[in-house]
Amino acid sequence: LVKQAKKMGEESKVALRNHRREAMDVLKKMKTAKELSEDMIADCEAEVEKFISTTMTKLEGIIAAKEKELLTV
C-alpha cells in the first residue's frame, strides 16, 4: 500500500508539473502575441510558480502523512 501511495503521489506531482508547463506555455504565447505587458507576464509567471510550489509542498506533506499512517497500522 505504501508503494501505491508513493506512486499516486508521484503521478500527482507529474500532473502538477504538466499544468505548470501548460500555464507557462500560454503565458509565452500571450507574450509573443503582445496580449499582455512583460511586467504582467512576469507577475503571472511568479504567481504560477508560487502556487505550484505551495501546492507541491502540501502534496509532499500529504504523501508523507499517508505513508506514516500506513506504516503505523
Side-chain angles (χ1 to χ4, degrees):
L1 289 175
V2 173
K3 285 184 180 181
Q4 286 180 330
K6 283 186 177 183
K7 182 180 177 187
M8 290 175 71
E10 190 58 39
E11 289 172 356
S12 298
K13 288 181 184 180
V14 169
L16 198 56
R17 287 186 208 114
N18 288 339
H19 288 301
R20 175 179 48 201
R21 185 172 10 92
E22 290 171 9
M24 293 300 190
D25 287 345
V26 168
L27 289 172
K28 284 180 186 176
K29 287 178 185 176
M30 292 178 87
K31 184 178 181 180
T32 57
K34 306 231 187 245
E35 293 179 25
L36 292 175
S37 69
E38 290 196 23
D39 291 338
M40 185 69 106
I41 297 284
D43 290 344
C44 290
E45 287 176 348
E47 192 69 28
V48 168
E49 284 297 327
K50 185 173 114 177
F51 176 75
I52 295 294
S53 295
T54 57
T55 306
M56 194 72 77
T57 303
K58 289 178 185 177
L59 182 61
E60 289 170 355
I62 292 169
I63 294 167
K66 189 52 128 174
E67 181 181 337
K68 184 178 178 182
E69 177 187 332
L70 290 171
L71 290 175
T72 57
V73 171

Short mmCIF file of all heavy atoms in Angstrom, two decimals:
data_model
loop_
_atom_site.label_atom_id
_atom_site.label_comp_id
_atom_site.label_asym_id
_atom_site.label_seq_id
_atom_site.Cartn_x
_atom_site.Cartn_y
_atom_site.Cartn_z
N LEU A 1 0.81 -1.20 0.00
CA LEU A 1 0.00 0.00 0.00
C LEU A 1 0.86 1.27 0.00
O LEU A 1 0.48 2.26 -0.59
CB LEU A 1 -0.93 0.02 1.22
CG LEU A 1 -2.08 -0.99 1.21
CD1 LEU A 1 -2.84 -0.94 2.52
CD2 LEU A 1 -3.00 -0.74 0.06
N VAL A 2 1.99 1.20 0.67
CA VAL A 2 2.88 2.37 0.70
C VAL A 2 3.40 2.66 -0.70
O VAL A 2 3.45 3.82 -1.12
CB VAL A 2 4.05 2.14 1.69
CG1 VAL A 2 5.05 3.27 1.61
CG2 VAL A 2 3.52 2.01 3.11
N LYS A 3 3.74 1.61 -1.43
CA LYS A 3 4.21 1.80 -2.80
C LYS A 3 3.14 2.44 -3.67
O LYS A 3 3.43 3.31 -4.49
CB LYS A 3 4.65 0.46 -3.41
CG LYS A 3 5.97 -0.04 -2.91
CD LYS A 3 6.36 -1.31 -3.63
CE LYS A 3 7.68 -1.84 -3.13
NZ LYS A 3 8.08 -3.07 -3.84
N GLN A 4 1.90 2.02 -3.48
CA GLN A 4 0.80 2.59 -4.25
C GLN A 4 0.60 4.06 -3.90
O GLN A 4 0.36 4.88 -4.78
CB GLN A 4 -0.50 1.82 -4.00
CG GLN A 4 -0.55 0.48 -4.68
CD GLN A 4 -1.85 -0.25 -4.38
OE1 GLN A 4 -2.45 -0.07 -3.33
NE2 GLN A 4 -2.29 -1.07 -5.33
N ALA A 5 0.70 4.37 -2.62
CA ALA A 5 0.55 5.77 -2.19
C ALA A 5 1.66 6.63 -2.79
O ALA A 5 1.40 7.74 -3.27
CB ALA A 5 0.57 5.86 -0.67
N LYS A 6 2.89 6.12 -2.76
CA LYS A 6 4.01 6.87 -3.35
C LYS A 6 3.81 7.04 -4.85
O LYS A 6 4.08 8.11 -5.40
CB LYS A 6 5.33 6.16 -3.08
CG LYS A 6 5.83 6.34 -1.67
CD LYS A 6 7.22 5.73 -1.51
CE LYS A 6 7.76 5.98 -0.13
NZ LYS A 6 9.12 5.45 0.02
N LYS A 7 3.34 5.98 -5.51
CA LYS A 7 3.12 6.04 -6.95
C LYS A 7 2.05 7.08 -7.28
O LYS A 7 2.22 7.89 -8.20
CB LYS A 7 2.70 4.67 -7.48
CG LYS A 7 2.49 4.64 -8.97
CD LYS A 7 2.07 3.27 -9.45
CE LYS A 7 1.80 3.31 -10.94
NZ LYS A 7 1.23 2.06 -11.43
N MET A 8 0.96 7.07 -6.52
CA MET A 8 -0.11 8.05 -6.76
C MET A 8 0.38 9.46 -6.48
O MET A 8 0.04 10.40 -7.20
CB MET A 8 -1.32 7.72 -5.88
CG MET A 8 -2.03 6.46 -6.30
SD MET A 8 -3.37 6.01 -5.18
CE MET A 8 -4.54 7.28 -5.58
N GLY A 9 1.20 9.61 -5.45
CA GLY A 9 1.78 10.92 -5.14
C GLY A 9 2.67 11.41 -6.26
O GLY A 9 2.63 12.58 -6.64
N GLU A 10 3.48 10.51 -6.79
CA GLU A 10 4.38 10.89 -7.88
C GLU A 10 3.59 11.25 -9.14
O GLU A 10 3.93 12.20 -9.84
CB GLU A 10 5.36 9.75 -8.17
CG GLU A 10 6.47 10.13 -9.12
CD GLU A 10 7.32 11.30 -8.62
OE1 GLU A 10 7.59 11.39 -7.42
OE2 GLU A 10 7.71 12.14 -9.47
N GLU A 11 2.52 10.51 -9.39
CA GLU A 11 1.66 10.83 -10.54
C GLU A 11 1.02 12.22 -10.38
O GLU A 11 0.90 12.97 -11.34
CB GLU A 11 0.59 9.77 -10.72
CG GLU A 11 1.13 8.44 -11.21
CD GLU A 11 0.10 7.32 -11.19
OE1 GLU A 11 -1.05 7.55 -10.72
OE2 GLU A 11 0.44 6.21 -11.63
N SER A 12 0.66 12.54 -9.15
CA SER A 12 0.08 13.86 -8.88
C SER A 12 1.12 14.95 -9.10
O SER A 12 0.80 16.02 -9.63
CB SER A 12 -0.44 13.92 -7.44
OG SER A 12 -1.47 12.99 -7.26
N LYS A 13 2.36 14.69 -8.68
CA LYS A 13 3.43 15.67 -8.89
C LYS A 13 3.67 15.89 -10.38
O LYS A 13 3.85 17.03 -10.82
CB LYS A 13 4.72 15.20 -8.23
CG LYS A 13 4.72 15.28 -6.73
CD LYS A 13 6.07 14.80 -6.21
CE LYS A 13 6.13 14.75 -4.72
NZ LYS A 13 7.44 14.28 -4.25
N VAL A 14 3.66 14.81 -11.14
CA VAL A 14 3.87 14.92 -12.59
C VAL A 14 2.73 15.72 -13.22
O VAL A 14 2.97 16.60 -14.06
CB VAL A 14 3.98 13.52 -13.23
CG1 VAL A 14 3.93 13.60 -14.75
CG2 VAL A 14 5.27 12.84 -12.78
N ALA A 15 1.50 15.46 -12.78
CA ALA A 15 0.36 16.21 -13.31
C ALA A 15 0.48 17.68 -12.98
O ALA A 15 0.20 18.55 -13.82
CB ALA A 15 -0.94 15.64 -12.75
N LEU A 16 0.94 17.98 -11.77
CA LEU A 16 1.12 19.37 -11.35
C LEU A 16 2.18 20.06 -12.21
O LEU A 16 2.01 21.20 -12.64
CB LEU A 16 1.50 19.40 -9.88
CG LEU A 16 1.34 20.69 -9.12
CD1 LEU A 16 -0.08 21.20 -9.23
CD2 LEU A 16 1.71 20.48 -7.66
N ARG A 17 3.28 19.34 -12.46
CA ARG A 17 4.34 19.91 -13.32
C ARG A 17 3.82 20.16 -14.73
O ARG A 17 4.18 21.16 -15.36
CB ARG A 17 5.53 18.97 -13.36
CG ARG A 17 6.32 18.96 -12.09
CD ARG A 17 7.59 18.10 -12.24
NE ARG A 17 7.95 17.57 -10.96
CZ ARG A 17 7.94 16.27 -10.62
NH1 ARG A 17 7.62 15.36 -11.51
NH2 ARG A 17 8.28 15.89 -9.41
N ASN A 18 2.98 19.23 -15.22
CA ASN A 18 2.40 19.41 -16.56
C ASN A 18 1.50 20.65 -16.62
O ASN A 18 1.54 21.40 -17.60
CB ASN A 18 1.61 18.17 -16.97
CG ASN A 18 2.50 17.00 -17.30
OD1 ASN A 18 3.68 17.17 -17.61
ND2 ASN A 18 1.96 15.81 -17.22
N HIS A 19 0.74 20.86 -15.57
CA HIS A 19 -0.12 22.06 -15.52
C HIS A 19 0.73 23.32 -15.49
O HIS A 19 0.39 24.32 -16.12
CB HIS A 19 -1.05 22.02 -14.31
CG HIS A 19 -2.15 21.02 -14.44
ND1 HIS A 19 -3.07 21.05 -15.46
CD2 HIS A 19 -2.47 19.95 -13.67
CE1 HIS A 19 -3.91 20.04 -15.31
NE2 HIS A 19 -3.57 19.36 -14.24
N ARG A 20 1.84 23.28 -14.76
CA ARG A 20 2.73 24.44 -14.72
C ARG A 20 3.28 24.72 -16.12
O ARG A 20 3.30 25.86 -16.57
CB ARG A 20 3.88 24.22 -13.74
CG ARG A 20 4.89 25.38 -13.79
CD ARG A 20 6.03 25.23 -12.84
NE ARG A 20 6.64 23.93 -12.90
CZ ARG A 20 7.38 23.41 -11.93
NH1 ARG A 20 7.60 24.07 -10.83
NH2 ARG A 20 7.90 22.21 -12.06
N ARG A 21 3.70 23.66 -16.80
CA ARG A 21 4.25 23.83 -18.15
C ARG A 21 3.20 24.41 -19.09
O ARG A 21 3.49 25.32 -19.88
CB ARG A 21 4.77 22.50 -18.69
CG ARG A 21 5.45 22.64 -20.03
CD ARG A 21 6.16 21.39 -20.55
NE ARG A 21 5.95 20.16 -19.85
CZ ARG A 21 5.00 19.25 -20.14
NH1 ARG A 21 4.15 19.48 -21.12
NH2 ARG A 21 4.88 18.12 -19.46
N GLU A 22 1.97 23.91 -18.99
CA GLU A 22 0.89 24.42 -19.84
C GLU A 22 0.63 25.90 -19.56
O GLU A 22 0.45 26.69 -20.49
CB GLU A 22 -0.38 23.61 -19.61
CG GLU A 22 -0.31 22.20 -20.15
CD GLU A 22 -1.50 21.35 -19.72
OE1 GLU A 22 -2.46 21.89 -19.14
OE2 GLU A 22 -1.45 20.14 -19.97
N ALA A 23 0.61 26.27 -18.27
CA ALA A 23 0.37 27.67 -17.91
C ALA A 23 1.49 28.55 -18.45
O ALA A 23 1.24 29.64 -18.98
CB ALA A 23 0.26 27.81 -16.40
N MET A 24 2.72 28.10 -18.32
CA MET A 24 3.85 28.89 -18.82
C MET A 24 3.82 29.00 -20.33
O MET A 24 4.16 30.05 -20.89
CB MET A 24 5.19 28.27 -18.36
CG MET A 24 5.41 28.35 -16.88
SD MET A 24 5.41 30.05 -16.30
CE MET A 24 5.99 29.84 -14.66
N ASP A 25 3.39 27.94 -21.01
CA ASP A 25 3.27 27.99 -22.47
C ASP A 25 2.23 29.02 -22.90
O ASP A 25 2.44 29.77 -23.85
CB ASP A 25 2.91 26.62 -23.04
CG ASP A 25 4.07 25.63 -23.00
OD1 ASP A 25 5.23 26.07 -22.79
OD2 ASP A 25 3.82 24.42 -23.17
N VAL A 26 1.11 29.05 -22.20
CA VAL A 26 0.06 30.03 -22.51
C VAL A 26 0.60 31.44 -22.31
O VAL A 26 0.38 32.34 -23.13
CB VAL A 26 -1.20 29.79 -21.63
CG1 VAL A 26 -2.15 30.96 -21.73
CG2 VAL A 26 -1.87 28.50 -22.03
N LEU A 27 1.34 31.64 -21.21
CA LEU A 27 1.91 32.97 -20.96
C LEU A 27 2.92 33.36 -22.04
O LEU A 27 2.97 34.51 -22.47
CB LEU A 27 2.56 33.01 -19.57
CG LEU A 27 1.57 32.99 -18.40
CD1 LEU A 27 2.32 32.84 -17.09
CD2 LEU A 27 0.71 34.23 -18.39
N LYS A 28 3.73 32.40 -22.49
CA LYS A 28 4.70 32.69 -23.55
C LYS A 28 3.99 33.08 -24.85
O LYS A 28 4.41 34.00 -25.55
CB LYS A 28 5.59 31.48 -23.80
CG LYS A 28 6.66 31.29 -22.75
CD LYS A 28 7.53 30.08 -23.05
CE LYS A 28 8.49 29.83 -21.92
NZ LYS A 28 9.29 28.61 -22.13
N LYS A 29 2.90 32.37 -25.16
CA LYS A 29 2.13 32.70 -26.37
C LYS A 29 1.53 34.10 -26.26
O LYS A 29 1.52 34.86 -27.23
CB LYS A 29 1.03 31.67 -26.60
CG LYS A 29 1.56 30.34 -27.08
CD LYS A 29 0.45 29.34 -27.26
CE LYS A 29 1.02 27.98 -27.63
NZ LYS A 29 -0.02 26.95 -27.72
N MET A 30 1.04 34.43 -25.06
CA MET A 30 0.48 35.77 -24.86
C MET A 30 1.57 36.83 -24.98
O MET A 30 1.32 37.94 -25.47
CB MET A 30 -0.21 35.85 -23.51
CG MET A 30 -1.45 35.00 -23.41
SD MET A 30 -2.19 35.06 -21.78
CE MET A 30 -3.22 36.50 -21.99
N LYS A 31 2.76 36.48 -24.54
CA LYS A 31 3.88 37.43 -24.61
C LYS A 31 4.27 37.68 -26.06
O LYS A 31 4.48 38.83 -26.46
CB LYS A 31 5.07 36.88 -23.82
CG LYS A 31 6.26 37.81 -23.75
CD LYS A 31 7.36 37.20 -22.90
CE LYS A 31 8.55 38.11 -22.80
NZ LYS A 31 9.62 37.52 -21.97
N THR A 32 4.36 36.62 -26.86
CA THR A 32 4.74 36.79 -28.26
C THR A 32 3.64 37.49 -29.05
O THR A 32 3.93 38.21 -30.00
CB THR A 32 5.07 35.43 -28.93
OG1 THR A 32 3.96 34.56 -28.80
CG2 THR A 32 6.30 34.80 -28.30
N ALA A 33 2.38 37.30 -28.64
CA ALA A 33 1.27 37.96 -29.32
C ALA A 33 1.05 39.38 -28.78
O ALA A 33 0.18 40.09 -29.26
CB ALA A 33 -0.01 37.14 -29.15
N LYS A 34 1.85 39.74 -27.78
CA LYS A 34 1.78 41.06 -27.15
C LYS A 34 0.38 41.37 -26.59
O LYS A 34 -0.11 42.49 -26.66
CB LYS A 34 2.21 42.15 -28.13
CG LYS A 34 3.57 41.90 -28.73
CD LYS A 34 4.44 43.09 -28.59
CE LYS A 34 5.73 42.84 -29.37
NZ LYS A 34 6.86 42.78 -28.54
N GLU A 35 -0.25 40.31 -26.03
CA GLU A 35 -1.56 40.49 -25.42
C GLU A 35 -1.45 41.11 -24.02
O GLU A 35 -2.38 41.75 -23.57
CB GLU A 35 -2.29 39.15 -25.34
CG GLU A 35 -2.67 38.59 -26.70
CD GLU A 35 -3.37 37.25 -26.60
OE1 GLU A 35 -3.98 36.96 -25.56
OE2 GLU A 35 -3.30 36.49 -27.58
N LEU A 36 -0.32 40.85 -23.36
CA LEU A 36 -0.07 41.41 -22.03
C LEU A 36 1.31 42.05 -22.01
O LEU A 36 2.19 41.67 -22.79
CB LEU A 36 -0.12 40.31 -20.96
CG LEU A 36 -1.47 39.66 -20.67
CD1 LEU A 36 -1.29 38.52 -19.68
CD2 LEU A 36 -2.45 40.67 -20.11
N SER A 37 1.49 42.98 -21.09
CA SER A 37 2.80 43.60 -20.97
C SER A 37 3.78 42.61 -20.35
O SER A 37 3.39 41.63 -19.72
CB SER A 37 2.72 44.86 -20.10
OG SER A 37 2.44 44.49 -18.77
N GLU A 38 5.07 42.88 -20.53
CA GLU A 38 6.09 41.98 -19.99
C GLU A 38 6.05 41.96 -18.47
O GLU A 38 6.31 40.92 -17.86
CB GLU A 38 7.47 42.38 -20.51
CG GLU A 38 7.63 42.09 -21.98
CD GLU A 38 9.08 42.12 -22.43
OE1 GLU A 38 9.97 41.93 -21.57
OE2 GLU A 38 9.31 42.32 -23.62
N ASP A 39 5.73 43.09 -17.86
CA ASP A 39 5.61 43.12 -16.40
C ASP A 39 4.47 42.23 -15.93
O ASP A 39 4.60 41.50 -14.94
CB ASP A 39 5.38 44.55 -15.91
CG ASP A 39 6.60 45.44 -16.08
OD1 ASP A 39 7.72 44.88 -16.19
OD2 ASP A 39 6.44 46.67 -16.10
N MET A 40 3.36 42.29 -16.63
CA MET A 40 2.20 41.47 -16.27
C MET A 40 2.53 39.99 -16.45
O MET A 40 2.17 39.16 -15.62
CB MET A 40 1.00 41.86 -17.12
CG MET A 40 -0.24 41.15 -16.72
SD MET A 40 -0.82 41.70 -15.13
CE MET A 40 -2.20 42.67 -15.64
N ILE A 41 3.23 39.67 -17.52
CA ILE A 41 3.64 38.28 -17.77
C ILE A 41 4.55 37.80 -16.65
O ILE A 41 4.38 36.70 -16.13
CB ILE A 41 4.36 38.14 -19.14
CG1 ILE A 41 3.41 38.49 -20.29
CG2 ILE A 41 4.95 36.76 -19.31
CD1 ILE A 41 2.41 37.46 -20.65
N ALA A 42 5.52 38.62 -16.26
CA ALA A 42 6.44 38.25 -15.20
C ALA A 42 5.69 38.04 -13.88
O ALA A 42 5.98 37.08 -13.14
CB ALA A 42 7.51 39.32 -15.04
N ASP A 43 4.74 38.91 -13.60
CA ASP A 43 3.93 38.75 -12.39
C ASP A 43 3.13 37.45 -12.42
O ASP A 43 3.05 36.74 -11.42
CB ASP A 43 2.98 39.93 -12.21
CG ASP A 43 3.70 41.22 -11.85
OD1 ASP A 43 4.88 41.16 -11.44
OD2 ASP A 43 3.08 42.29 -12.00
N CYS A 44 2.55 37.15 -13.56
CA CYS A 44 1.76 35.92 -13.70
C CYS A 44 2.65 34.68 -13.56
O CYS A 44 2.27 33.71 -12.90
CB CYS A 44 1.05 35.89 -15.05
SG CYS A 44 -0.29 37.08 -15.18
N GLU A 45 3.83 34.73 -14.17
CA GLU A 45 4.76 33.60 -14.04
C GLU A 45 5.17 33.39 -12.59
O GLU A 45 5.23 32.26 -12.11
CB GLU A 45 6.00 33.82 -14.92
CG GLU A 45 5.72 33.67 -16.39
CD GLU A 45 6.93 33.98 -17.26
OE1 GLU A 45 7.92 34.55 -16.74
OE2 GLU A 45 6.89 33.65 -18.44
N ALA A 46 5.43 34.47 -11.88
CA ALA A 46 5.79 34.37 -10.46
C ALA A 46 4.64 33.80 -9.65
O ALA A 46 4.85 32.97 -8.75
CB ALA A 46 6.21 35.73 -9.93
N GLU A 47 3.44 34.23 -9.97
CA GLU A 47 2.25 33.73 -9.26
C GLU A 47 2.05 32.24 -9.51
O GLU A 47 1.73 31.48 -8.59
CB GLU A 47 1.02 34.52 -9.71
CG GLU A 47 -0.19 34.30 -8.87
CD GLU A 47 -0.08 34.88 -7.48
OE1 GLU A 47 0.65 35.87 -7.29
OE2 GLU A 47 -0.73 34.34 -6.57
N VAL A 48 2.25 31.81 -10.76
CA VAL A 48 2.13 30.39 -11.09
C VAL A 48 3.17 29.59 -10.32
O VAL A 48 2.86 28.55 -9.72
CB VAL A 48 2.27 30.16 -12.62
CG1 VAL A 48 2.45 28.69 -12.94
CG2 VAL A 48 1.07 30.71 -13.36
N GLU A 49 4.40 30.06 -10.32
CA GLU A 49 5.48 29.36 -9.60
C GLU A 49 5.18 29.28 -8.11
O GLU A 49 5.38 28.23 -7.49
CB GLU A 49 6.82 30.06 -9.82
CG GLU A 49 7.43 29.81 -11.18
CD GLU A 49 7.77 28.35 -11.44
OE1 GLU A 49 8.13 27.62 -10.49
OE2 GLU A 49 7.67 27.93 -12.59
N LYS A 50 4.69 30.36 -7.54
CA LYS A 50 4.37 30.39 -6.12
C LYS A 50 3.26 29.39 -5.80
O LYS A 50 3.36 28.62 -4.84
CB LYS A 50 3.95 31.80 -5.70
CG LYS A 50 3.73 31.96 -4.22
CD LYS A 50 3.47 33.43 -3.88
CE LYS A 50 2.06 33.56 -3.39
NZ LYS A 50 1.70 34.90 -2.97
N PHE A 51 2.23 29.38 -6.63
CA PHE A 51 1.12 28.46 -6.42
C PHE A 51 1.57 27.00 -6.54
O PHE A 51 1.22 26.16 -5.70
CB PHE A 51 0.00 28.74 -7.42
CG PHE A 51 -1.14 27.76 -7.33
CD1 PHE A 51 -2.05 27.85 -6.29
CD2 PHE A 51 -1.28 26.76 -8.27
CE1 PHE A 51 -3.09 26.93 -6.20
CE2 PHE A 51 -2.30 25.84 -8.18
CZ PHE A 51 -3.22 25.93 -7.15
N ILE A 52 2.36 26.72 -7.56
CA ILE A 52 2.83 25.35 -7.77
C ILE A 52 3.73 24.92 -6.62
O ILE A 52 3.62 23.80 -6.13
CB ILE A 52 3.58 25.23 -9.13
CG1 ILE A 52 2.62 25.47 -10.30
CG2 ILE A 52 4.28 23.88 -9.26
CD1 ILE A 52 1.54 24.44 -10.47
N SER A 53 4.60 25.82 -6.15
CA SER A 53 5.48 25.48 -5.04
C SER A 53 4.71 25.16 -3.77
O SER A 53 4.99 24.16 -3.09
CB SER A 53 6.45 26.62 -4.77
OG SER A 53 7.30 26.81 -5.86
N THR A 54 3.72 25.99 -3.44
CA THR A 54 2.95 25.73 -2.22
C THR A 54 2.12 24.46 -2.35
O THR A 54 2.02 23.67 -1.41
CB THR A 54 2.02 26.91 -1.87
OG1 THR A 54 1.16 27.19 -2.98
CG2 THR A 54 2.81 28.14 -1.52
N THR A 55 1.57 24.23 -3.53
CA THR A 55 0.78 23.02 -3.75
C THR A 55 1.67 21.79 -3.69
O THR A 55 1.29 20.77 -3.11
CB THR A 55 0.05 23.09 -5.11
OG1 THR A 55 -0.70 24.30 -5.17
CG2 THR A 55 -0.86 21.91 -5.30
N MET A 56 2.88 21.88 -4.25
CA MET A 56 3.81 20.76 -4.22
C MET A 56 4.22 20.44 -2.78
O MET A 56 4.29 19.27 -2.39
CB MET A 56 5.05 21.09 -5.06
CG MET A 56 5.92 19.90 -5.39
SD MET A 56 5.24 18.76 -6.60
CE MET A 56 5.54 19.65 -8.10
N THR A 57 4.43 21.47 -1.97
CA THR A 57 4.79 21.28 -0.57
C THR A 57 3.65 20.60 0.18
O THR A 57 3.89 19.67 0.96
CB THR A 57 5.13 22.63 0.08
OG1 THR A 57 6.18 23.24 -0.65
CG2 THR A 57 5.56 22.45 1.52
N LYS A 58 2.43 21.05 -0.05
CA LYS A 58 1.27 20.43 0.58
C LYS A 58 1.13 18.97 0.16
O LYS A 58 0.85 18.10 0.99
CB LYS A 58 -0.01 21.18 0.22
CG LYS A 58 -0.14 22.53 0.87
CD LYS A 58 -1.41 23.22 0.41
CE LYS A 58 -1.49 24.63 0.95
NZ LYS A 58 -2.69 25.33 0.45
N LEU A 59 1.34 18.72 -1.12
CA LEU A 59 1.24 17.36 -1.64
C LEU A 59 2.27 16.45 -1.01
O LEU A 59 1.96 15.32 -0.61
CB LEU A 59 1.39 17.38 -3.17
CG LEU A 59 1.26 16.05 -3.89
CD1 LEU A 59 -0.13 15.46 -3.66
CD2 LEU A 59 1.51 16.24 -5.38
N GLU A 60 3.50 16.94 -0.88
CA GLU A 60 4.54 16.14 -0.25
C GLU A 60 4.20 15.85 1.21
O GLU A 60 4.46 14.74 1.70
CB GLU A 60 5.89 16.85 -0.36
CG GLU A 60 6.43 16.85 -1.77
CD GLU A 60 7.64 17.76 -1.96
OE1 GLU A 60 8.02 18.48 -1.01
OE2 GLU A 60 8.19 17.75 -3.06
N GLY A 61 3.61 16.81 1.90
CA GLY A 61 3.19 16.60 3.28
C GLY A 61 2.10 15.55 3.38
O GLY A 61 2.12 14.70 4.28
N ILE A 62 1.17 15.59 2.46
CA ILE A 62 0.08 14.61 2.45
C ILE A 62 0.64 13.22 2.18
O ILE A 62 0.24 12.25 2.84
CB ILE A 62 -0.99 14.99 1.39
CG1 ILE A 62 -1.71 16.25 1.83
CG2 ILE A 62 -1.96 13.85 1.15
CD1 ILE A 62 -2.58 16.88 0.76
N ILE A 63 1.56 13.12 1.24
CA ILE A 63 2.16 11.82 0.92
C ILE A 63 2.91 11.27 2.13
O ILE A 63 2.78 10.09 2.48
CB ILE A 63 3.11 11.95 -0.30
CG1 ILE A 63 2.32 12.29 -1.56
CG2 ILE A 63 3.90 10.65 -0.50
CD1 ILE A 63 3.17 12.72 -2.73
N ALA A 64 3.69 12.12 2.78
CA ALA A 64 4.45 11.68 3.95
C ALA A 64 3.51 11.24 5.07
O ALA A 64 3.76 10.22 5.74
CB ALA A 64 5.37 12.80 4.43
N ALA A 65 2.44 11.99 5.30
CA ALA A 65 1.48 11.64 6.34
C ALA A 65 0.81 10.30 6.04
O ALA A 65 0.62 9.47 6.94
CB ALA A 65 0.44 12.74 6.49
N LYS A 66 0.43 10.11 4.79
CA LYS A 66 -0.22 8.87 4.41
C LYS A 66 0.74 7.69 4.54
O LYS A 66 0.35 6.61 5.02
CB LYS A 66 -0.74 8.97 2.97
CG LYS A 66 -1.61 7.81 2.57
CD LYS A 66 -2.70 7.60 3.58
CE LYS A 66 -4.05 7.53 2.99
NZ LYS A 66 -5.07 7.20 3.98
N GLU A 67 1.99 7.90 4.15
CA GLU A 67 2.99 6.84 4.29
C GLU A 67 3.17 6.48 5.76
O GLU A 67 3.21 5.29 6.11
CB GLU A 67 4.31 7.29 3.68
CG GLU A 67 5.41 6.26 3.74
CD GLU A 67 6.71 6.76 3.15
OE1 GLU A 67 6.68 7.69 2.33
OE2 GLU A 67 7.75 6.20 3.52
N LYS A 68 3.27 7.48 6.60
CA LYS A 68 3.42 7.24 8.04
C LYS A 68 2.20 6.50 8.60
O LYS A 68 2.34 5.57 9.39
CB LYS A 68 3.62 8.57 8.76
CG LYS A 68 3.87 8.43 10.23
CD LYS A 68 4.10 9.79 10.87
CE LYS A 68 4.31 9.64 12.38
NZ LYS A 68 4.47 10.94 13.02
N GLU A 69 1.03 6.92 8.17
CA GLU A 69 -0.21 6.29 8.63
C GLU A 69 -0.24 4.81 8.23
O GLU A 69 -0.60 3.95 9.03
CB GLU A 69 -1.41 7.01 8.02
CG GLU A 69 -2.74 6.39 8.35
CD GLU A 69 -3.88 7.04 7.59
OE1 GLU A 69 -3.76 8.23 7.24
OE2 GLU A 69 -4.89 6.35 7.36
N LEU A 70 0.16 4.53 7.00
CA LEU A 70 0.14 3.14 6.53
C LEU A 70 1.18 2.29 7.24
O LEU A 70 0.95 1.09 7.47
CB LEU A 70 0.36 3.09 5.02
CG LEU A 70 -0.79 3.62 4.16
CD1 LEU A 70 -0.36 3.73 2.71
CD2 LEU A 70 -2.02 2.75 4.30
N LEU A 71 2.31 2.89 7.59
CA LEU A 71 3.35 2.11 8.26
C LEU A 71 3.05 1.85 9.73
O LEU A 71 3.52 0.87 10.29
CB LEU A 71 4.69 2.82 8.11
CG LEU A 71 5.28 2.82 6.70
CD1 LEU A 71 6.56 3.65 6.66
CD2 LEU A 71 5.56 1.41 6.22
N THR A 72 2.25 2.71 10.36
CA THR A 72 1.95 2.53 11.78
C THR A 72 0.77 1.58 11.99
O THR A 72 0.61 1.07 13.08
CB THR A 72 1.64 3.88 12.47
OG1 THR A 72 0.55 4.50 11.79
CG2 THR A 72 2.84 4.76 12.50
N VAL A 73 -0.02 1.36 11.00
CA VAL A 73 -1.20 0.50 11.17
C VAL A 73 -0.83 -0.95 11.14
O VAL A 73 0.08 -1.47 10.78
CB VAL A 73 -2.27 0.80 10.08
CG1 VAL A 73 -3.37 -0.22 10.10
CG2 VAL A 73 -2.79 2.18 10.28
#
